[in-house]
Amino acid sequence: MIEALSTVLSRVRERAGPFRHLVSLFRLAWTASPSLATASMVLRLLRAILPVLGLFVGKLIIDGVVAQSRLPSLGDNPFVWFQSGRLDGLLVLLGLEFGLAIASTALGRASGLADSLLSERYSNLASVRLMDHAATLDLEQLESSAEQDRLDRARRQVTGRTALLSQLFAQAQDVLTVLSLAAGLVAYAPWLIALLCLALIPGFLGEKHFNAQSYRLDYFRTPERRQLDYLRYLGSSTETAKEIKLFGLSGFLAERFGRFADAMYAENSGLAVRRAAWGVLFAGLGSLAYYLAYFVIVWRTVSGHFSLGDLTFLAGSFLRLRGLLEGLLLGFSQIAGQVLYLADLFSFFELRPGIVSAPAALPVPRPLRTGFRFEDVGYRYAGSETWAVRHLDLTLASGEVLALVGQNGAGKTTIVKLLARLYDPTEGRILLDGVDLRDYDLAELRARIGVIFQDFVRFHFTAGENIGVGRIDALDDRDRIEAAASRSLADQLVGRLPMRYDQPLGRRFNNGVDLSGGEWQKIAIARAYMREADVLILDEPTAALDARAEYEVFERFRDLSHGRTAVLISHRFSTVRMADRIVVLGGGRVIESGSHAALVAAGGAYAELFDLQASGYR
């Protein structure tokens, strides 16, 4: 018995759990605009009592008309009726009913406006919160396909659930209206309310069931939905248009999109048909209860128990109450369904990063004294059986220019991400000036490191902003932006743009100018120089540059990296030979280390790779 009760309570807690997010929703909406939230609630409170007042005034008008009809007629001249004073009470009631109608319309418009503005403010704030929170998460979390699904669901709820705010306020308003109407009906026939509730409960349970089914279907279809979004992007993006045309991929993409879309449509349509069929049955039960009650009210009026005004009031109240109760029950089931989706957003906000600053984080030394040291470092990506790096021992001395070479998958980029603490080692540790990297302030550490990855972002901002985001607190410092552009040789291409540093880049927005791959790369390198960091890391920085541009960039890099710590990753040996030391990686560990001349003379892996590349130029 106790075990069964415990199971029931556990299920109740499980089902009620998502409703706690309604508090989070309201708290976020209140934060977005306390004045609009207050205005919406007050306006709806006023609207809630108008229906019962209107029905009661209508009852008084009908009873007044019936009473006048029983008195001797004063003829057809309206002025005689007005002068007699017999219409004074009716005129007051008609004026009051007109005023209630105007007030209802005005309050409806005002509350709709408040809800609309509040929803927009909420959506904007939730979007900012989503971006801010996503930025705090670990790179490994964001790279996980499961977490990408989670982020995609959260992103959809930022704008997809704004109507829920209005629905919640509307539900609260309807509850107050139901209570006021029920109070009037209880005085006449309390059993009618019980009958109506019993008739509407099956519909509520049915809607609740189908809402849960709909959410479950949508939840497990997230990977397929992301596939649809990706295929839609591939088939209609300027970035992919060239290869789509050259390889004739439009038919292939359309066929794959259709296959995913048809499968989702089949499941969605099946659920919709079942929902509609049961909905008709449940609506019929509600109608049966209403007309049974309506017959009783009519019969009691005919038998003399109710007046015509009572009949009008009761019929109108019961009809209105039926609609409100039906709407409340269905609305509650819809809210219960939406709450499941709302959990996608607020449970994402509850996700916490693993890579954070220590409680008593140390400041990063300035300047760096001894540099970095990897001690038996290993890192394995989540869900992977193989190690990206393992038993790695590596030093990067302060002021040294270090080049990392090796075949694809040797662990070069992983080392860079570990150095910038985008990842933490799975085993071993990384020291900076003899202190574990995890003991330093995370934000300060990353601020002291400038990294440009091969897959750098092409921001569709202005040229100046593309460079300035390398040091966001100096985004408006034009002198610093121009100096960074000069260091990367990007100033020459910016000088050719019609609007120079104010020129929007990319084709996504109006007046945008697209750049070649090499030109984008110079902008990205300028972004790294913008930081004026102690540690400068270039991961395949010249992959899209021609030979002359590559030579110029690295001549400049060698000059600018003097006195700084630098890491250079490149497959081009003409580039890496300018480094103080070259480290050759294989299987996630160091297999050779030394200068270009020493490694060539040793005749090992580096010499073999160098000869293979050099033979291509003979």
Side-chain angles (χ1 to χ4, degrees), residues 164 167 207 211 275 327 329-339:
L164 182 57
Q167 190 171 2
E207 282 297 309
N211 281 330
R275 187 174 197 158
L329 292 176
L330 295 181
F332 179 78
S333 67
Q334 291 170 0
I335 288 174
Q338 292 194 59
V339 162

Side-chain angles (χ1 to χ4, degrees), residues 146-160:
E147 295 305 334
Q148 287 179 32
D149 288 344
R150 192 171 184 174
L151 176 58
D152 181 70
R153 290 193 296 269
R155 191 185 296 116
R156 288 173 181 271
Q157 304 321 312
V158 167
T159 56

Side-chain angles (χ1 to χ4, degrees), residues 377-390:
V377 169
Y379 181 78
R380 182 168 58 188
Y381 290 91
S384 175
E385 296 295 328
T386 60
W387 291 80
V389 295
R390 189 81 189 276

Side-chain angles (χ1 to χ4, degrees), residues 271-347:
L271 180 63
V273 168
R274 293 195 302 274
R275 187 174 197 158
W278 282 100
V280 170
L281 176 61
F282 296 143
L285 290 175
S287 298
L288 177 63
Y290 167 71
Y291 281 102
L292 177 61
Y294 189 55
F295 170 77
V296 173
I297 294 171
V298 171
W299 174 74
R300 298 204 66 179
T301 302
V302 171
S303 62
H305 291 84
F306 296 151
S307 68
L308 286 177
D310 292 337
L311 171 64
T312 305
F313 175 75
L314 289 172
S317 296
F318 192 75
L319 180 61
R320 189 70 176 266
L321 188 61
R322 175 210 172 193
L324 286 171
L325 281 175
E326 189 174 40
L328 278 174
L329 292 176
L330 295 181
F332 179 78
S333 67
Q334 291 170 0
I335 288 174
Q338 292 194 59
V339 162
L340 297 174
Y341 290 94
L342 199 63
D344 291 335
L345 176 62
F346 289 102
S347 64

Side-chain angles (χ1 to χ4, degrees), residues 61-80:
I61 291 173
I62 291 177
D63 284 342
V65 170
V66 171
Q68 288 295 328
S69 68
R70 293 172 178 170
L71 297 175
S73 175
L74 297 178
D76 297 330
N77 190 335
F79 295 104
V80 175

